[in-house]
Amino acid sequence: MAAEAAAAVVARLRALPSSPPGLEAPLEPGAALRLLCTPSRPRLALLEWICCRVNPPLAKRLDELRHGPERARLRELAALAEELMLSEAEDTALVEGTAPPEQQLGFIRDLLDAAPSREEEEENARSSILLRASTFLQEVLESPEGVAVLNPPPLSPSPGTPPGNPPPRLGELELEAELGEAQKHLEMMEAEVRGGMGGFGGAHSGGWECPLG
């Protein structure tokens, strides 16, 4: 459920007049959940981008803190959340990404609801400071960490598994065992039938005469 809800939030972000850079393609639900609800630089950069849409003057302050400690930027986001009455001052779990996924997704949806009108947003998007926020978000999402969040590598195969052949799942192993037992049972039945036919042929090996002859 949470993964599907996260994918819906990403779809809403992509539908904005000035959608966040780096999210041009849809995300599968698992990747959307990792991006929005797991603490990481990509999540923080995206949350900053969303908050700057809500309060454009915040972009300048965050830009000044860009190379400082992450905690300072989190405090700025928490202060905005408190100002919008979306969280308490001491409750930083929502901006840190450590709250339950459902709460985090609700928080992001509330931030999107608090954004300015379409006309105001288009005007804000042209400001140089918000352009820098967008550029920073794109850089983070294109970094190795961002790529790992949006496109996780496939699971490594088990030792001894030939390349390109994924390890069998538990259900497949059980089915294979059942088929093997069935095959053995069939072979035993065939052997019994062949043995019975051989005995029948031996009893009449001397030939058969018609009783009416």
Side-chain angles (χ1 to χ4, degrees):
M1 285 296 293
E4 296 296 334
V9 172
V10 170
R12 183 176 174 184
L13 284 165
R14 295 180 62 243
L16 294 172
S18 55
S19 59
L23 292 182
E24 290 80 7
L27 293 182
E28 58 93 10
L33 186 63
R34 282 189 300 273
L35 174 62
L36 298 180
C37 301
T38 302
S40 66
R41 287 183 68 243
R43 179 192 179 276
L44 177 57
L46 179 59
L47 188 60
E48 290 178 359
W49 185 90
I50 296 172
C51 288
C52 290
R53 288 182 62 253
V54 177
N55 183 21
L58 177 64
K60 182 177 181 181
R61 176 63 178 156
L62 291 175
D63 196 53
E64 294 170 351
L65 299 172
R66 189 73 66 204
H67 302 291
E70 185 177 282
R71 176 62 57 180
R73 305 204 322 266
L74 288 171
R75 280 197 297 267
E76 294 293 334
L77 301 184
L80 175 63
E82 181 189 13
E83 180 182 339
L84 297 173
M85 294 185 290
L86 299 181
S87 69
E88 301 294 333
E90 64 277 3
D91 183 11
T92 59
L94 288 174
V95 296
E96 291 173 347
T98 55
E102 293 79 6
Q103 293 182 21
Q104 294 190 58
L105 295 174
F107 173 61
I108 294 174
R109 283 192 291 264
D110 289 341
L111 284 173
L112 293 175
D113 290 339
S117 66
R118 185 185 185 95
E119 292 75 15
E120 292 176 311
E121 182 182 349
E122 290 176 346
E123 182 178 349
N124 291 335
R126 289 191 290 269
S127 70
S128 60
I129 190 66
L130 287 186
L131 286 174
R132 287 203 295 273
S134 295
T135 300
F136 176 71
L137 172 60
Q138 185 167 12
E139 290 174 354
V140 172
L141 291 181
E142 291 177 353
S143 69
E145 183 178 358
V147 172
V149 169
L150 301 181
N151 302 287
L155 296 176
S156 300
S158 303
T161 303
N165 295 328
R169 292 171 292 190
L170 181 58
E172 294 173 347
L173 292 175
E174 292 174 349
L175 179 59
E176 185 177 347
E178 292 177 2
L179 290 174
E181 290 297 324
Q183 181 66 27
K184 290 180 181 178
H185 185 65
L186 180 60
E187 291 174 355
M188 290 174 61
M189 291 179 63
E190 290 176 346
E192 291 175 0
V193 170
R194 283 196 300 270
M197 292 180 65
F200 180 80
H204 298 276
S205 58
W208 178 75
E209 297 180 358
C210 176
L212 300 179

